[in-house]
Amino acid sequence: MIKFRNDYLKSFITEAEIAAIQPEITTAHNTLHNRTGPGNDFTGWLDLPKGMEAQLERIAQVGQRIAGLCDTLIVIGVGGSYLGARAALEFIRGKNYNAFAEGTPTVHFVGTDLCPDTIVDLLNLCRDKSVCLCVVSKSGGTTEPAVAFRIFRQFMEEKYGAAATERIYTITDEKNGSLRALTTQRGYTSFVIPGDVGGRFSVLSPVGLLPLAAAGVDIKAIIGGAQAAKADFADASIQNNDCYRYAAARNILYRRGLTTEIMAFYDPSLAMFAEWWKQLFGESEGKGGQGIFPASVCFTTDLHSLGQYVQDGKRNLFETVLSVTQPFTDIAVPHEGGGDGLDFLSGKSLHHINTTAMEATAEAHVGGGVPNIILEVGKRDAYHLGYAAYFFQLACGVSAYTLGVNPFDQPGVEEYKKAMFRLLGKPE
């Protein structure tokens, strides 16, 4: 479950303003669900939570096969081809997930950049390991993952010979692209990226689910959470729909000139989820000179670095706080009787102190003129990950249509590629 709290927002947005934007939200809801808006051929993610039983079984079986073959899984992809899986893994298992992998492979991500040190370090790590590859790319031609796959495919073939084929898994287009052609030629085990699902909306497809299944995550629980969110947010009324209340609030604030949204979180294991959220909203809304710039901070850590700016800097921002209400574990502060002046905290749990810090920070930032939206997530588990993923994907689609842009294209992304290929001497 995700609960929208407006404790620190109601002094900035009135119920009259919420009511005034309702017709636009209703129109955006209908445009999205009736598939009548721009980019409607990429709205298949709306239906991913249902009708996946047979596919889930195959993903789970192949995930178990991978876990039985290796102790190290290398996931190759960039953008939506890796962010969803990594965000989910850290959300569910924590940022130190590899340190606690027992009976399942450690999972490492590559193909996310063009830094040679990244590739070489991971190759060296794999020398004495039992390795499988999972390559995620719709076309197979995106530079970062394609280069990484060339290098790691050579490594696998040198290490395992013909047996490398059974250790390489691909997730790609059903029919087209160089990765599909290579998959068919080599006989790799493969899954299909749905043709009507863009990369940043693909976490609930094999793109996100196969690496998670190999890591031992309950992918059925993920889909169960997404199904629950789909049902909970079917009503277009903002009053009955916390997802649409979030979409409405951010649009109202944007129209007032608050052009930066900071996702703040108080659990470091949400850092990659915030990275996934940044791509989701940044690529979906940043077009035609429009859009809210998505940023993120990890509090309380970043209160000691960026806190001054948020509190007292340029007033063009608002915060969306993602708060986990039930931690996995907790620990009390011991009594010391020393000179640090903190014995008033003796016996208090860290979760209580962390939550108090969140409330105090929101209060201070609101006092400094920064609206705060609080989104409460019950737990960091597979079910709530699926629920949160669907929540933000739906909010993004409705918010972008309300803004007046196509949520499902990314024309600006191609510009750097054209310049890079020209400078590298790619033939015309």
Side-chain angles (χ1 to χ4, degrees), residues 393-405:
Q393 289 178 170
L394 182 60
C396 183
V398 168
S399 181
Y401 277 143
T402 301
L403 183 63
V405 301

Side-chain angles (χ1 to χ4, degrees), residues 339-396:
D340 60 9
L342 295 178
D343 273 347
F344 69 96
L345 298 177
S346 297
K348 290 183 170 65
S349 77
L350 274 184
H351 177 63
H352 169 72
I353 295 170
N354 202 30
T355 300
T356 302
M358 182 197 78
E359 302 287 353
T361 303
E363 180 181 309
H365 289 178
V366 165
V370 179
N372 268 238
I373 298 168
I374 310 289
L375 297 177
E376 291 185 338
V377 182
K379 296 179 181 178
R380 281 198 301 105
D381 60 14
Y383 177 90
H384 285 85
L385 181 278
Y387 196 101
Y390 198 88
F391 175 99
F392 283 109
Q393 289 178 170
L394 182 60
C396 183

Side-chain angles (χ1 to χ4, degrees), residues 89-90 93-101 268-269 380:
L89 194 55
E90 294 197 14
R93 293 281 178 81
K95 62 180 298 184
N96 298 315
Y97 58 90
N98 279 336
F100 303 102
S269 295
R380 281 198 301 105

